[in-house]
Amino acid sequence: MIPKIILSRGPRATNRLIGYLYGKGTANEHIDPHLVASWNDFAPDPGRSPHRNPKQVEDQLATQLDQPVKMLGNRAPKFTVWHCPVRAAPEDPILTDAQWAEIAHRIVAAAGIAPNGDDEACRWVAVRHADDHIHIAATLVRQDGRRPHRDHDIRAVQREARKIEVDYGLRRLKPGDGTAAKRPTSKEVFKARRLGQDATSREILRQRVRRAMAAASAEAEFFTLLEATGVNVRPKTEPSGDVTGYSVSLPGDVNKQKEPIWYSGSTLAGDLSLPKIRKRLATTYPEPVAVRPGNPWHQATAAAERIPDHLIHSSDEVAQGQLDALGGALDLLSLTVPAAARAELEKAAVAFERATRSRITTDHASARVLHRSIQTIWRDPARHEVGTGLAMLLDVALTAIAYAMHWHRTRQHAQQQVAAEQTLTHLQAAYEQIAEPVLASLASRTPSLQTKHRYAYHLRRTVPEHAERILTDPAWDALAAVLAEAEAAGHNAATVLDKALSHRTLDDAHSPARALTWRIRRLGERHAPGPRAQAAAARHSAKRPAASLPVTSLAPDLYRGHYR
């Protein structure tokens, strides 16, 4: 059950709200509007007055609600109307008017609008015009002329909604922490449906702003990228000439007066305000270009592979920075992938957005390598092999997101944990679509049976706990192929395999064979060491027992079941 509080002001704010609640709605969605509860249980009901002019009854109801406000005259508060739609989930049973009335009483009591047993509380009504929700309208002056005590009413109403879900057997939502992006209003949803859009303007703009923020290295570039995606940008400029904010709109998205509908960055999401974007850009600026730049897919994969260790061992600020960078990576990667996998990757990026925000301060600088590498890929994807590189990156991203789910759970970030779980589903689907053709191509180049037996022997000796699972995995032929290619490039296969095994434990890999395939592919493309270095590495490997391989501090079963 989702309650949402909206405050209104103006000399006719109450009349406008009552007129909307008893009107047809923006898409004729208001069916049989009528009162289910009120402050005195006998307020006039425009929906149940067949022998009177409905408009006159609406004015009468608004007048009665406004009476305490009018008595204060110039001492009335700035905001005089408290509006709270309360919506049930689509799968919830249809509640009766009596049940919605009880819910309305509980909501206004929790908010401080009308505490139980308080005869001098604010005046309010609850209007129902659909099966799945009601609207509560109240005026913000008590009948004794005082202001209601509604401190932290949003949190109080949310807590009461969680209790109502239990008492009525409704879908139970996860408690939030106030960091979620603002949901589209019902008007925005109906408008999107009417226009045949899959998402509302608010959601489209939020996605485009997030992508521009992930791609930009400076403020000017951020605004340029936004405009390049077709977004109208309006800076907020102070008399001094300083830009302190911005608003965005979509071409053609206009109100009744044919004026553009603008959304400020902070109303799209808390982390999209201009001060927050400036702070992020200041700590993630690109480093000087190297004389011999490395493969950005390899750099991004190596950075993402370190995220689980950061989530376990680093500070919360660093961990939050890693998750934020991973979210930005997903935002940009969806623009570089083949069309077949784009839909699932976009869904993964949208889902993970919620998992990137919490009340923990973000250390953006700690994830600079991942951020910079993804920017490099996005700026010139044609220069880099997308298939293999993306498969490598998504493979480690799956593990990172599984650890993010655990990280949020241990900190009681309920909504973020659910968002990470949803991300795993979509990202696994995208990964399968990307990885399968790459693995099939590698498998077609698998070496001779004798060579594969040699590799298998080393696997059984080095990682006996994973060997059989690797050797029976469909990706075994691809793994053997990249080992053979590494040998052809001058590497020692056993040494490369040992290095791949030492990078991270395989305990939390959803497919050890695939994980090793991508790791060895990266290692095999590096410059091969000379004979002396290979001999020394081989001697060191022979002395090292298999038990010295790193072991994760988290139970692998927490992750495998979510995206195998």
Side-chain angles (χ1 to χ4, degrees):
M1 176 163 287
I2 302 174
K4 183 170 67 173
I5 295 175
I6 306 163
L7 301 181
S8 301
R9 61 180 177 176
R12 291 185 56 80
T14 306
N15 295 75
R16 289 196 302 270
L17 177 56
I18 295 301
Y20 166 73
L21 296 181
Y22 281 94
K24 295 181 179 180
T26 56
N28 295 319
E29 72 276 13
H30 294 181
I31 302 172
D32 186 27
H34 60 279
L35 285 184
V36 295
S38 68
W39 78 95
N40 59 6
D41 292 329
F42 54 85
D45 184 359
R48 292 292 185 269
S49 303
H51 302 298
R52 298 181 60 188
N53 184 325
K55 186 64 175 64
Q56 292 179 344
V57 183
E58 289 177 20
D59 291 340
Q60 181 185 1
L61 176 58
T63 299
Q64 291 190 18
L65 286 168
D66 266 341
Q67 186 177 3
V69 178
K70 299 298 183 184
M71 290 176 61
L72 289 184
N74 294 333
R75 295 183 293 114
K78 178 180 179 181
F79 291 94
T80 58
V81 176
W82 186 89
H83 176 203
C84 181
V86 185
R87 186 178 299 274
E91 66 269 26
D92 285 339
I94 296 177
L95 302 176
T96 65
D97 281 358
Q99 289 173 318
W100 276 118
E102 171 61 23
I103 290 171
H105 278 280
R106 292 177 63 170
I107 292 293
V108 293
I113 295 295
N116 293 326
D118 188 346
D119 295 333
E120 298 296 325
C122 297
R123 296 185 175 188
W124 62 274
V125 293
V127 179
R128 181 181 188 181
H129 48 52
D131 287 339
D132 63 349
H133 71 280
I134 59 171
H135 290 259
I136 303 173
T139 45
L140 291 175
V141 175
R142 290 166 49 87
Q143 296 181 77
D144 58 11
R146 295 184 293 137
R147 309 284 179 86
H149 296 291
R150 39 175 291 270
D151 294 339
H152 307 295
D153 56 349
I154 295 176
R155 295 183 186 178
V157 165
Q158 290 291 347
R159 285 195 299 268
E160 188 63 27
R162 303 292 82 78
K163 297 176 183 177
I164 292 171
E165 291 163 357
V166 174
D167 294 343
Y168 283 86
L170 307 178
R171 176 186 174 187
R172 299 179 65 177
L173 301 182
K174 300 294 184 181
D177 58 1
T179 61
K182 185 177 180 180
R183 293 175 177 271
T185 65
S186 57
K187 289 183 179 180
E188 293 169 357
V189 172
F190 285 120
K191 182 177 181 179
R193 291 175 182 173
R194 189 170 65 251
L195 298 176
Q197 298 175 179
D198 294 332
T200 64
S201 296
R202 180 187 300 276
E203 293 167 320
I204 294 171
L205 287 168
R206 182 162 61 240
Q207 183 185 56
R208 294 187 185 181
V209 172
R210 280 182 60 85
R211 287 174 173 173
M213 180 176 64
S217 298
E219 183 177 331
E221 184 183 14
F222 165 71
F223 287 121
T224 300
L225 290 172
L226 263 184
E227 293 174 341
T229 64
V231 173
N232 298 321
V233 180
R234 183 176 66 180
K236 180 183 178 182
T237 306
E238 298 298 324
S240 62
D242 295 334
V243 176
T244 58
Y246 71 99
S247 298
V248 289
S249 69
L250 288 177
D253 185 22
V254 297
N255 57 22
K256 292 180 179 180
Q257 290 74 38
K258 304 300 180 182
E259 298 170 337
I261 299 176
W262 296 94
Y263 298 84
S264 67
S266 59
T267 61
L268 295 177
D271 57 343
L272 298 183
S273 67
L274 187 57
K276 293 287 182 65
I277 291 175
R278 281 173 172 165
K279 184 176 180 180
R280 173 170 177 160
L281 293 175
T283 54
T284 57
Y285 56 85
E287 295 180 356
V289 178
V291 178
R292 297 179 60 185
N295 186 318
W297 285 112
H298 293 184
Q299 294 169 343
T301 302
E305 201 168 31
R306 291 190 290 270
I307 291 177
D309 289 328
H310 284 297
L311 296 177
I312 297 170
H313 302 298
S314 298
S315 67
D316 280 359
E317 291 77 12
V318 168
Q320 182 65 51
Q322 298 292 318
L323 297 183
D324 185 85
L326 183 56
L330 294 178
D331 287 330
L332 288 185
L333 285 175
S334 60
L335 301 176
T336 65
V337 301
R342 187 171 302 152
E344 289 294 341
L345 196 51
E346 285 184 346
K347 291 177 183 177
V350 170
F352 197 64
E353 175 199 15
R354 182 67 189 97
T356 63
R357 285 194 303 273
S358 73
R359 292 198 174 276
I360 296 173
T361 303
T362 305
D363 182 351
H364 294 293
S366 66
R368 187 180 300 166
V369 174
L370 177 58
H371 185 78
R372 186 178 66 250
S373 302
I374 296 298
Q375 284 184 330
T376 302
I377 294 168
W378 171 78
R379 287 193 173 99
D380 194 3
R383 289 186 55 193
H384 312 290
E385 185 183 357
V386 172
T388 303
L390 183 59
M392 288 191 296
L393 180 53
L394 295 187
D395 182 77
V396 299
L398 284 167
T399 301
I401 291 171
Y403 272 77
M405 184 179 64
H406 174 82
W407 187 82
H408 282 306
R409 180 167 59 242
T410 59
R411 285 153 184 79
Q412 299 183 340
H413 299 164
Q415 291 187 357
Q416 291 90 333
Q417 176 192 337
V418 172
E421 292 174 352
Q422 295 170 342
T423 304
L424 282 175
T425 301
H426 296 301
L427 197 62
Q428 176 65 29
Y431 172 70
E432 294 296 337
Q433 292 173 329
I434 293 292
E436 287 301 334
V438 177
L439 291 168
S441 176
L442 290 172
S444 67
R445 306 195 296 270
T446 191
S448 66
L449 192 60
Q450 181 179 1
T451 301
K452 291 172 67 176
H453 282 323
R454 177 160 52 88
Y455 299 155
Y457 170 79
H458 189 73
L459 275 170
R460 289 191 177 97
R461 184 181 64 84
T462 310
V463 280
E465 69 275 22
H466 295 295
E468 292 309 315
R469 188 178 169 205
I470 293 172
L471 296 174
T472 57
D473 192 296
W476 163 233
D477 284 346
L479 172 55
V482 295
L483 277 168
E485 290 177 357
E487 276 192 316
H491 293 274
N492 180 285
T495 303
V496 170
L497 188 55
D498 283 342
K499 285 184 179 179
L501 290 167
S502 67
H503 273 195
R504 269 195 65 78
T505 176
L506 294 174
D507 289 344
D508 53 18
H510 63 290
S511 169
R514 290 188 180 190
L516 285 175
T517 298
W518 309 132
R519 294 180 193 177
I520 291 169
R521 184 65 182 265
R522 300 205 313 271
L523 291 169
E525 292 185 7
R526 296 178 182 175
H527 181 69
R532 287 188 178 181
Q534 290 196 27
R539 289 194 299 271
H540 175 74
S541 176
K543 293 178 181 179
R544 186 186 64 185
S548 66
L549 291 174
V551 178
T552 181
S553 60
L554 299 175
D557 290 341
L558 291 175
Y559 310 101
R560 287 180 182 159
H562 287 283
Y563 58 94
R564 180 181 291 177

